[in-house]
Amino acid sequence: MPAAAPRPWHVAAENLLLPVLALAGALLLFGGFVWLGGTSPVETWQLLYEGAFGSAFSWQNTLLRAAPLMLTALAVALPAQAGLTVIGGEGALALGALGCASLPYLFTPPANGLGIALVLAAGAAAGAAWVALAGALRQYRGVNETISSLLLGYIAIAVFKHLVEGPLRDPASLNKPSTPPLAEALRIGPIMGEAAFDSWLGDVHWGLVIGMVLCLLAGLWLSFTTHGFGVRVVGGNAKAARLVGLPSHRLILVACAAGGACAGLAGAVEVAAVQGAANASVLSGLGYTGILVAFVARQNPWAIPPVAVLFGGFGAAGSLLQRRLDLPDASVLVLQGFAFVIILAAEALRGRIAAGLAKALSVPAPATPALKETTP
């Protein structure tokens, strides 16, 4: 009897089970890691939950960290849909922050919603151009996009530091070099307003809404438009896409530019909503964590928001682990590292879980009774 073919819901269950099991394995490994240092794993897990989701303040901290992670994850997920592995989100974020902070040097934006849109658009444009450059190098010069995007990220960070600490430095920023602060009218405020500071949203800014809306729109674009379908076809087989007449070069550059724009927008949001100016605090590894978020979400824009909230919670819990258990604040990076390694290793099981579900849940067909021979 032939093996039962996996059904769509078997594949969907596999797509959910693999990251869940990988994250559970990462938590177990992290528990073993802290246990070797003399710390209780159970207490560590409890504090991870408490620091991420245990109170209104924890939720505020988690959502503040999740907002830029959604955008930097899109910087990986959108080019991946076109078949490229781009990991230069940190560089695009740095240039996005620089573009947002330096726009007032060119002209004075209006002190209203249009001015906010302009400074955010400047950041998005800088990020789009930078990641599109990696895509162009891949398409027209054959340069590996993973390596080029990573190296371009380092160049962008160097440019950011040079300008922030040199030509664009605010003379009033003595101990922490930064650009002149944005005008208050160009800042992004909290979603609920100042009166709702004690709520679970509290001072969570509109960057969270921007990230969630862009994840939703990116998923709709890829799933329900001919242009998005073309991007997915190119990502599946670029040669076949060219044979059927799809403009693969253009589609790949569009996907890269869209991803870079999201990462650049993340940097602009960090300036306009959190820091108030471009400084070294913007470069906190959000672009690198976005790579992990995108891989856990399987490059699916609709799965990015919950994964970003989860990893934002891990980051938020770091300070609590430091205060209660005397662990380094950066210990959560070990947890993220375990998660990344296990997620990559779990790809070897892709297809097998769906096949196993199909086999285990298949109902065998009833046996056909043999016909008896009759004599005339």
Side-chain angles (χ1 to χ4, degrees):
M1 179 179 176
R7 298 183 179 181
W9 76 267
H10 295 151
V11 178
E14 179 185 69
N15 290 337
L16 178 63
L17 280 174
L18 274 180
V20 168
L21 293 176
L23 290 173
L27 286 170
L28 287 175
L29 284 177
F30 185 66
F33 172 77
V34 298
W35 176 76
L36 291 175
T39 304
S40 167
V42 176
E43 187 177 2
T44 301
W45 295 327
Q46 290 174 343
L47 289 178
L48 277 173
Y49 172 78
E50 183 181 341
F53 311 111
S55 65
F57 178 77
S58 299
W59 269 105
Q60 292 175 34
N61 203 0
T62 294
L63 294 177
L64 281 172
R65 293 170 181 267
L69 289 180
M70 295 179 194
L71 296 170
T72 55
L74 285 175
V76 180
L78 294 181
Q81 293 289 340
L84 273 65
T85 304
V86 172
I87 57 174
E90 185 77 3
L93 181 146
L95 290 185
L98 199 59
C100 173
S102 59
L103 184 66
Y105 279 88
L106 302 178
F107 68 96
T108 302
N112 51 30
L114 177 60
I116 296 176
L118 286 174
V119 294
L120 294 181
W130 203 247
V131 177
L133 176 59
L137 290 173
R138 173 68 177 84
Q139 291 305 111
Y140 299 113
R141 303 301 298 174
V143 180
N144 182 280
E145 75 281 357
T146 306
I147 297 175
S148 66
S149 61
L150 180 63
L151 296 181
L152 283 171
Y154 288 130
I155 294 173
I157 292 172
V159 170
F160 176 91
K161 291 182 177 179
H162 168 71
L163 293 177
V164 169
E165 298 175 6
L168 300 183
R169 179 171 180 172
D170 181 10
S173 59
L174 301 178
N175 297 325
K176 188 175 185 180
S178 66
T179 59
L182 281 180
E184 192 64 30
L186 301 179
R187 301 287 301 275
I188 300 176
I191 297 173
M192 303 296 292
E194 298 295 338
F197 182 79
D198 293 332
S199 70
W200 69 281
L201 278 176
D203 57 349
V204 177
H205 52 72
W206 283 96
L208 177 69
V209 177
I210 293 173
M212 296 182 69
V213 168
L214 286 180
C215 287
L216 174 63
L217 293 178
L220 292 174
W221 171 59
L222 291 169
S223 300
F224 298 106
T225 67
T226 55
H227 196 272
F229 177 73
V231 169
R232 291 189 289 117
V233 171
V234 171
N237 192 322
K239 184 178 292 186
R242 287 193 294 269
L243 288 176
V244 298
L246 287 176
S248 58
H249 290 342
R250 187 176 68 193
L251 291 173
I252 287 174
L253 290 180
V254 167
C256 290
C262 291
L265 186 58
V269 167
E270 284 295 293
V271 170
V274 181
Q275 305 296 335
N279 53 50
S281 297
V282 174
L283 305 178
S284 58
L286 294 170
Y288 301 124
T289 307
I291 301 171
L292 176 56
V293 172
F295 272 82
V296 175
R298 290 291 303 156
Q299 323 296 351
N300 183 351
W302 288 341
I304 283 175
V307 178
V309 170
L310 179 63
F311 280 90
F314 288 160
S319 59
L320 188 61
L321 294 179
Q322 184 180 40
R323 293 195 306 270
R324 297 279 187 88
L325 302 179
D326 202 25
L327 291 173
D329 185 29
S331 60
V332 292
L333 296 179
V334 177
L335 172 59
Q336 294 179 6
F338 283 146
F340 192 55
V341 171
I342 297 177
I343 282 292
L344 294 179
E347 289 300 308
L349 299 177
R350 186 158 298 280
R352 299 182 183 182
I353 294 180
L357 286 172
K359 183 178 180 180
L361 300 177
S362 62
V363 179
T368 304
L371 296 176
K372 296 182 179 179
E373 290 187 5
T374 59
T375 56

